[in-house]
Amino acid sequence: MKRKPGIIACALLAGVLAGCGGGGAESFIDAQAMAQLREVLSKEPRLPDGFTARPEQAWRMPFGQADRNCRALLEPAGGRAPGQALTAQAAVSYHGDGLGEQAGVGLARYANERAAGHLDDLARAMGSCRVVRTSSGTYLRLQELEVRNSGDESVGARLRGRLHGYPYAMDVVLSRVGDTLVSVVHTGMNDVDAARTDEVVEAAISMVSA
């Protein structure tokens, strides 16, 4: 299935602008890195059966309220990765055939070996994100998620509970591949399949490690 170049270009531009906000003087856009990410997104992802092959707009958190640590954990998959030393960023999403199933993939490339430092910071944020609670009936509790050895290093978590009163679950996996931070969310109503999460992460990792 062919992809629409406009969707990819918009996702790249939106991700870079979002990620650079507040990034400071060390953040800059590298034209070559941007071209490489554009090439990455032009390839067919090896997603699990049931996912659409064509990327859509970047994933967005389905709730407006969350503490600083939880937002830091979730925003990279939506194209809002840490901005310091950011050189390029892309974010897209794919719909699955499960109830409420969606996968968000964010790629962020860094200079000066900052990818490792950012992953460390995000791992600490993950350890401090306990609960997402809103007045609209959302209550998601975080627990550690065991992930396969993906990329150079990775961390994972599962948020499970209720979204606006309905059963909901979300897997979050953050990985580093060289100078690139790979962020994945895999969502679903009622529950998410950890094996499918692993497959989505493998597909995202393959985008930048091929």
Side-chain angles (χ1 to χ4, degrees):
M1 183 181 297
K2 288 187 176 181
R3 296 186 179 143
K4 296 181 180 179
I7 292 177
I8 296 174
C10 289
L12 282 164
L13 180 59
V16 168
L17 292 176
C20 288
E26 292 186 39
S27 298
F28 62 94
I29 303 305
D30 184 312
Q32 183 176 357
M34 284 293 297
Q36 290 172 343
L37 287 186
R38 191 174 290 111
E39 174 64 21
V40 162
L41 289 182
S42 71
K43 299 175 182 178
E44 194 75 25
R46 297 194 294 270
L47 292 168
D49 291 341
F51 275 97
T52 57
R54 187 173 63 187
E56 300 182 12
Q57 295 298 321
W59 177 83
R60 287 291 179 263
M61 291 188 298
F63 38 81
Q65 301 171 348
D67 71 18
R68 179 175 57 85
N69 290 305
C70 295
R71 293 189 69 87
L73 170 64
L74 298 173
E75 286 184 335
R80 295 178 179 272
Q84 186 181 33
L86 181 72
T87 61
Q89 185 167 197
V92 294
S93 65
Y94 304 89
H95 279 284
D97 57 3
L99 182 61
E101 187 176 31
Q102 188 179 20
V105 176
L107 308 178
R109 186 162 294 174
Y110 292 93
N112 304 324
E113 301 182 351
R114 280 300 301 160
H118 284 315
L119 184 59
D120 288 342
D121 293 341
L122 291 169
R124 283 190 288 271
M126 182 179 293
S128 299
C129 173
R130 304 299 183 188
V131 172
V132 174
R133 181 190 287 111
T134 72
S135 59
S136 62
T138 293
Y139 182 89
L140 301 170
R141 180 174 291 278
L142 183 142
Q143 63 186 58
E144 185 177 353
L145 176 69
E146 184 176 349
V147 296
R148 296 177 185 173
N149 293 327
S150 301
D152 296 316
E153 50 186 335
S154 59
V155 294
R158 172 168 292 180
L159 292 125
R160 176 183 287 166
R162 290 187 173 272
L163 176 67
H164 307 309
Y166 296 95
Y168 186 79
M170 173 194 304
D171 286 349
V172 185
V173 179
L174 304 167
S175 307
R176 181 180 65 83
V177 181
D179 60 358
T180 302
L181 178 67
V182 180
S183 307
V184 169
V185 296
H186 179 211
T187 72
M189 304 303 292
N190 299 315
D191 202 1
V192 287
D193 185 340
R196 282 173 71 80
T197 297
D198 284 338
E199 291 182 73
V200 173
V201 172
E202 287 181 4
I205 294 291
S206 71
M207 292 179 183
V208 295
S209 60

